[in-house]
Amino acid sequence: MNNLLKLKNFYLLITALSISILIGAIYIEYIIGAKPCVLCKYQRIPYLLSIFICFFGYNNLKSNIWLYLLAFNFLISFIISGYHFGIENNFFPEFGGCSNSDTNIVNKEQLLETLKEIPPNCKDVNFRILGFSLATINVILSFLVIVISLIISKNEKNKK
């Protein structure tokens, strides 16, 4: 019973973390005004999915599949944020989706309007927390969630 309580608390913690990160991203974008790049927006998707995975895992504690799905979900997050971290630090070249250029502009009004809506390049860090970019923080958090999920699933498997 004690292990089930720990597992429930883990799902609740990851849910709270995911909701906090999504709210923080929305706050940074809309209140502070720091525009996210394309990869920043992609990095939000695994956090949204983790809320649903944790909901099902919380309600089905007998199955470890939810822990494995959570670990896989954060592996995807780790890959996306790791790639973004690599672009920010010039380890990787930017992919085509990071730089926006519209060749269908025919007049200066369209040009001025599109300049307002162009997201920043993925290599430009426009917001930091304690000196770390949000992609760097996401790499660390994703890695920790993967490791902890796999440790918990291994311990649950050994208990059976």
Side-chain angles (χ1 to χ4, degrees):
M1 183 65 174
N2 193 17
N3 287 337
L4 293 180
L5 183 61
K6 288 180 187 177
L7 189 55
K8 278 189 171 193
N9 288 339
F10 176 70
Y11 285 128
L12 289 174
L13 176 69
I14 299 302
T15 301
L17 174 74
S18 298
I19 290 171
S20 299
I21 286 173
L22 290 171
I23 290 172
I26 291 168
Y27 177 80
I28 291 167
E29 181 178 354
Y30 292 106
I31 305 299
I32 294 176
K35 283 186 168 185
C37 69
V38 174
L39 285 175
C40 290
K41 290 181 179 182
Y42 289 163
Q43 289 177 85
R44 297 175 188 179
I45 296 169
Y47 287 99
L48 184 62
L49 291 175
S50 71
I51 295 169
F52 293 103
I53 293 169
C54 287
F55 172 78
F56 290 114
Y58 184 87
N59 291 313
N60 187 7
L61 296 171
K62 302 287 187 216
S63 177
N64 280 351
I65 188 71
W66 303 109
L67 286 170
Y68 292 121
L69 279 173
L70 194 62
F72 181 73
N73 183 51
F74 277 96
L75 176 64
I76 293 169
S77 176
F78 180 77
I79 291 168
I80 295 169
S81 57
Y83 181 62
H84 193 188
F85 172 80
I87 289 173
E88 289 176 350
N89 293 291
N90 294 319
F91 299 140
F92 308 120
E94 280 186 282
F95 78 105
C98 284
S99 56
N100 295 321
S101 59
D102 189 2
T103 57
N104 296 327
I105 298 174
V106 292
N107 62 34
K108 65 181 179 180
E109 288 82 22
Q110 279 183 321
L111 176 63
L112 291 173
E113 195 59 38
T114 58
L115 287 175
K116 292 178 189 175
E117 298 176 13
I118 294 176
N121 285 337
C122 296
K123 66 181 173 186
D124 297 333
V125 179
N126 57 6
F127 191 82
R128 294 182 184 270
I129 297 175
L130 300 174
F132 296 106
S133 72
L134 296 178
T136 305
I137 294 169
N138 196 9
V139 167
I140 295 166
L141 284 175
S142 296
F143 180 75
L144 288 173
V145 173
I146 292 167
V147 170
I148 294 169
S149 296
L150 293 176
I151 289 171
I152 290 174
S153 66
K154 181 182 176 194
N155 289 340
E156 287 297 312
K157 187 184 267 188
N158 289 339
K159 302 274 186 220
K160 293 179 181 180

